[in-house]
Amino acid sequence: MSTAVVFFEVEILDAKTKEKLCFLDKVRNKLQRILYLPVPDPQWYPARQSIRLDPKGKSLKDEDVLQHLPVGTTATFYFRDLGAQISWVTVFLTEYTGPLVIYLLFYFRVPFIYAPKYDFTTSKHWVVHLACMCHSFHYMKRLLETLFVHRFSHGTMPLRNIFKNCTYYWGFAAWMAYYINHPLYTPPIYGEQQIRLALILFLFCQIGNFSIHIALRNLRPPGSKTRKIPYPTKNPFTWIFLLVSCPNYTYELGSWLGFTLMTQCLPVAFFTLVGFIQMTVWAKGKHRSYLKEFRDYPPLRSPIIPFIL
């Protein structure tokens, strides 16, 4: 039995000025995408367009179709320019390459960083060399995950974010590296025992973080934006999903706590604290999103720290 075809009249207004941008007649309702409707200015490429039901409301999703939205056959939508966009992959590669290179410049003590007599000298403390290996491993892992593991639900972000993100990552990398690789640096107060314990914590959390990223990747088929509830797998490092919604942040925090313990360096501790605050904000937001989207979401989970936060 055939279904009658319904046509829509779609009006697009500027969200700020309420000026009419375009009018579309006889838009078919069946699986008709709302996003990326033609607008007068060619600079408004699809990635920077936000189409909304309300001027101050949330952007419609890529999957939204006319017949599933609370509109009549004559529909009015509001357009907002999101500004110049850049791909997530480009941002991640840029912000992670910086710390990797910057740290090594301090480690090799290139000229104009410390006094001339220390140019291209090496530290006598083995923890300095270990810290360099751990720091480099961490950012190499991030770069490889960006290229081969992560699947992004959104292809782009505002261009301005790359400057903010790079300032954060590159600046902290330089600050930490300056003190850890300084000729007057002193090792942790409890010596090898403290360093070995810190290394175990760091490596354990790095493996855990990678395991969570793999588990999250497997939840989303290539090219899909499907969202599912993440559950523990056969990998023991994923069992923390029983207690927290964002264990990737939990393990990330653990890694930097290990690096802080290993180096006993105040800038590292401050970077860990700032990172923890930011990851807590992200984890709480994702936790709320899970609770809102899935009625059967496990009630015992906390956002980032089991039973606490």
Side-chain angles (χ1 to χ4, degrees):
M1 182 176 179
S2 61
T3 303
V5 177
V6 178
F7 291 97
F8 288 80
E9 292 182 346
V10 177
E11 183 182 47
I12 307 293
L13 305 182
D14 187 290
K16 292 182 178 179
T17 66
K18 306 302 186 294
E19 175 188 357
K20 182 186 291 187
L21 297 177
C22 68
F23 181 83
L24 300 176
D25 191 18
K26 294 185 178 179
V27 179
R28 296 185 61 174
N29 75 328
K30 187 177 182 181
L31 300 180
Q32 175 64 47
R33 290 184 180 273
I34 298 301
L35 297 185
Y36 315 149
L37 291 175
V39 286
D41 196 328
Q43 74 167 344
W44 294 334
Y45 48 87
R48 65 185 292 171
Q49 294 183 30
S50 170
I51 305 296
R52 312 169 183 206
L53 288 171
D54 183 86
K56 297 183 180 180
K58 294 184 178 180
S59 300
L60 295 173
K61 299 179 180 178
D62 288 0
E63 302 78 21
D64 288 333
V65 292
L66 278 170
Q67 67 267 34
H68 296 155
L69 295 173
V71 296
T73 54
T74 300
T76 299
F77 296 96
Y78 297 89
F79 165 83
R80 183 178 291 273
D81 180 15
L82 297 176
Q85 300 288 299
I86 188 171
S87 74
W88 279 85
V89 172
T90 301
V91 173
F92 278 10
L93 292 179
T94 304
E95 67 186 34
Y96 296 156
T97 300
L100 181 63
V101 174
I102 289 170
Y103 194 100
L104 291 175
L105 293 177
F106 285 88
Y107 174 74
F108 290 113
R109 295 177 179 171
V110 299
F112 308 110
I113 295 180
Y114 305 113
K117 65 178 180 179
Y118 296 115
D119 290 353
F120 297 112
T121 59
T122 57
S123 175
K124 63 182 179 180
H125 304 298
W126 70 279
V127 66
V128 172
H129 307 298
L130 178 63
C132 180
M133 288 188 285
C134 289
H135 189 274
S136 299
F137 173 81
H138 174 74
Y139 282 101
M140 283 296 297
K141 167 182 164 293
R142 284 194 171 191
L143 289 169
L144 292 173
E145 286 177 337
T146 299
L147 292 172
F148 303 111
V149 176
H150 294 320
R151 288 175 178 159
F152 301 100
S153 57
H154 300 286
T156 64
M157 68 165 67
L159 178 62
R160 62 182 178 274
N161 284 8
I162 194 171
F163 302 105
K164 178 181 65 177
N165 292 10
C166 286
T167 299
Y168 171 77
Y169 282 105
W170 296 18
F172 265 115
W175 191 26
M176 292 188 294
Y178 177 83
Y179 285 99
I180 296 173
N181 298 287
H182 198 284
L184 301 181
Y185 170 79
T186 55
I189 188 171
Y190 293 108
E192 289 192 12
Q193 185 176 3
Q194 179 177 337
I195 296 170
R196 294 182 191 279
L197 177 63
L199 178 61
I200 292 172
L201 175 61
F202 177 84
L203 293 177
F204 178 87
C205 289
Q206 286 288 285
I207 296 172
N209 180 264
F210 176 74
S211 299
I212 297 301
H213 286 162
I214 292 295
L216 293 174
R217 177 184 187 274
N218 293 336
L219 282 179
R220 179 175 293 161
S224 168
K225 295 186 179 181
T226 303
R227 283 170 56 88
K228 300 178 182 178
I229 300 176
Y231 286 104
T233 66
K234 294 180 180 180
N235 183 342
F237 286 96
T238 67
W239 295 353
I240 193 174
F241 268 126
L242 294 171
L243 300 176
V244 295
S245 295
C246 302
N248 50 323
Y249 297 146
T250 309
Y251 282 124
E252 181 78 6
L253 172 62
S255 293
W256 285 107
L257 285 173
F259 196 70
T260 301
L261 185 65
M262 178 188 301
T263 59
Q264 197 171 295
C265 183
L266 184 60
V268 180
F270 189 68
F271 176 72
T272 302
L273 175 62
V274 173
F276 170 58
I277 294 172
Q278 179 60 74
M279 287 187 289
T280 298
V281 173
W282 290 336
K284 285 185 174 181
K286 197 162 189 178
H287 183 72
R288 286 193 299 268
S289 178
Y290 280 141
L291 291 173
K292 183 177 179 180
E293 185 172 355
F294 303 106
R295 292 185 178 181
D296 57 341
Y297 192 72
L300 293 180
R301 293 187 187 181
S302 301
I304 188 171
I305 298 179
F307 310 115
I308 299 175
L309 188 64

